[in-house]
Amino acid sequence: MDWNHYRFRSPWRLPVPPAAVFAVLERPEDYPRWWPQVRSVIRLDDATGVLTIRSALPYAMTFTAHERRRDPAAGILEIAMSGDIEGWARWTVTAAGPGTLAVYEQEVDVRKPLLRRLAVPARPLFRANHRLMMRAGRRGLLLRLRAV
């Protein structure tokens, strides 16, 4: 097992139409306004940006995100990631009853040296840290969608 490899899947049920959810998710430069753990997003061009994230544990991760797919008709936003984490992340936004199901999937390898050294003993903490970040992101997105 590669202790520095992670796969995450977070489904979010949201009581608003998919187009409204997609419209917010496709603007990563606004994430710091509603997702507290996304500390900064610096756009480099229309398809690339540098993000810094930090959740409950006392470390930040910085990575470059490059858009691989933006398909409003299919409800898919996908990026390639490089830096402290390398891999990909994808939002899939679909109708679910009267609202939306937004599924966040991520498959990454941790490259940050300190986190690699702590991979075995701290893996459960790293996974819990990610869950906390995702929970806060869902709450923030709900508030953002109600304000729009």
Side-chain angles (χ1 to χ4, degrees):
M1 174 176 186
D2 181 351
W3 293 97
N4 289 294
H5 184 82
Y6 291 85
R7 286 186 185 150
F8 299 106
R9 184 175 189 279
S10 300
W12 296 357
R13 293 205 175 270
L14 304 162
V16 295
V21 174
F22 192 90
V24 173
L25 293 178
E26 74 176 339
R27 298 186 47 80
E29 63 274 11
D30 290 341
Y31 282 28
R33 294 183 181 146
W34 57 266
W35 198 337
Q37 292 78 12
V38 179
R39 299 302 172 99
S40 69
V41 177
I42 301 166
R43 278 278 195 182
L44 301 179
D45 59 37
D46 286 345
T48 310
V50 176
L51 287 81
T52 299
I53 58 173
R54 179 172 180 218
S55 192
L57 294 177
Y59 65 85
M61 299 181 82
T62 300
F63 59 92
T64 300
H66 182 77
E67 183 179 290
R68 291 199 321 197
R69 183 175 178 195
R70 178 191 303 245
D71 186 342
I76 296 175
L77 295 164
E78 184 173 306
I79 59 170
M81 304 159 78
S82 62
D84 289 341
I85 50 178
E86 292 189 8
W88 59 269
R90 176 188 315 121
W91 284 108
T92 304
V93 178
T94 57
T100 298
L101 176 62
V103 178
Y104 180 80
E105 297 171 278
Q106 183 182 50
E107 187 167 343
V108 294
D109 292 305
V110 174
R111 297 290 182 224
K112 189 168 183 135
L114 175 62
L115 301 183
R116 290 180 67 81
R117 284 193 294 277
L118 296 172
V120 174
R123 187 173 177 91
L125 290 173
F126 294 161
R127 293 186 69 79
N129 198 51
H130 187 271
R131 281 191 304 276
L132 290 171
M133 180 175 172
M134 297 308 293
R135 191 174 304 142
R138 182 181 181 279
R139 278 193 310 269
L141 180 57
L142 280 169
L143 291 172
R144 178 73 173 187
L145 289 165
R146 289 181 182 136
V148 174

